[in-house]
Amino acid sequence: EVQVEESGGGLVQPGGSLRLSCAASGFTFSSYAMSWVRQAPGKGLEWVSAISSRGSSTYYVDSVKGRFTISRDNSKNTLYVQMNSLRAEDTAVYYCAKGPKEGAFDSWGQGTLVTVSS
Amino acid sequence: QSVLTQPPSVSAAPGQKVTISCSGSSSNIGNNYVSWYQQLPGTAPKLLIYENTKRPSGIPDRFSGSKSGTSATLDITGLQTGDEADYYCGTWDSSLSVGVFGGGTKLTAL
């Protein structure tokens, strides 16, 4: 069974940093691109970042470019996102998602809440 | 403001058919596959449709997708109260090299 599980969320002050992790199992992690998708309270889904299967290519939404860094460790079946210079508008549930594969995200974690507030 | 445009809400009586539209442009829907997601209250999104029309295993055939030009549609037939959820379309934008979602559509079974 495919599983992805996020961890690392919490309360952080504006300007602070946080690193989220996503542990994957049940599939050949190193063969798939992976993504982070977030959802602000009461709002819709927003794609944040993606990384290719080997980690050689990364992609970001404009609002996080220069502040977030996506990475992966295929030996540990783990996806990461380092979030720096956090802003109030980064407050959201962050989901780890398998994909995109032909544009689709076929497995999602339960999400981890990041709250940026003083 | 989402790159893909969906109606904020749709409703229909149980047993009826409902259609959710998703409009984009040539750089996203027009040249890439569309996927659809169901998000039940308090849960993570779940893939319903991928590659415009395909259903993952376990998704009932009451759910179907289609695409024409720069628009896509999700149809749900035999509506059930358990289908009440938020539905999102998504795709890749080739010009921006980013993933994009619609703003979401809240489905109510009257």
Side-chain angles (χ1 to χ4, degrees):
Chain A
E1 179 190 4
V2 172
Q3 286 192 324
V4 292
E5 183 173 359
E6 308 89 342
S7 61
L11 175 64
V12 60
Q13 291 188 339
S17 298
L18 210 56
R19 188 177 86 155
L20 305 182
S21 300
C22 169
S25 61
F27 64 102
T28 305
F29 181 73
S30 59
S31 296
Y32 291 90
M34 297 292 294
S35 295
W36 292 97
V37 178
R38 68 185 178 184
Q39 187 170 35
K43 302 297 183 182
L45 301 176
E46 180 184 34
W47 175 87
V48 174
S49 181
I51 187 168
S52 60
S53 59
R54 297 183 180 182
S56 55
S57 297
T58 58
Y59 308 88
Y60 300 93
V61 69
D62 280 351
S63 60
V64 308
K65 280 182 182 176
R67 300 189 299 122
F68 289 15
T69 303
I70 192 172
S71 62
R72 63 192 297 159
D73 185 337
N74 285 346
S75 69
K76 296 182 178 179
N77 290 349
T78 303
L79 175 72
Y80 305 98
V81 62
Q82 176 68 43
M83 304 186 296
N84 298 330
S85 302
L86 282 162
R87 306 166 180 168
E89 53 265 37
D90 295 318
T91 294
V93 173
Y94 284 74
Y95 294 103
C96 169
K98 176 171 169 274
K101 181 180 179 184
E102 300 295 3
F105 305 97
D106 59 24
S107 293
W108 299 64
Q110 83 289 349
T112 187
L113 176 62
V114 172
T115 303
V116 184
S117 175
S118 55
Chain B
Q1 195 81 350
S2 301
V3 173
L4 305 181
T5 301
Q6 297 180 234
S9 63
V10 295
S11 61
Q16 297 302 303
K17 174 183 174 180
V18 67
T19 296
I20 299 174
S21 61
C22 176
S23 178
S25 68
S26 58
S27 64
N28 43 66
I29 291 179
N31 283 285
N32 293 286
Y33 287 118
V34 175
S35 51
W36 289 91
Y37 305 86
Q38 178 193 59
Q39 188 175 33
L40 296 168
T43 70
K46 179 175 77 172
L47 180 65
L48 276 183
I49 299 289
Y50 66 101
E51 293 182 12
N52 302 333
T53 61
K54 298 178 181 179
R55 286 185 307 276
S57 61
I59 300 300
D61 60 5
R62 300 188 297 106
F63 295 89
S64 63
S66 63
K67 183 185 117 171
S68 178
T70 59
S71 294
T73 298
L74 173 69
D75 288 325
I76 307 173
T77 58
L79 189 66
Q80 301 176 0
T81 56
D83 296 333
E84 289 195 326
D86 294 322
Y87 293 83
Y88 296 88
C89 58
T91 187
W92 188 257
D93 191 297
S94 302
S95 295
L96 302 174
S97 291
V98 298
V100 290
F101 290 102
T105 298
K106 184 176 183 62
L107 170 61
T108 302
L110 298 171

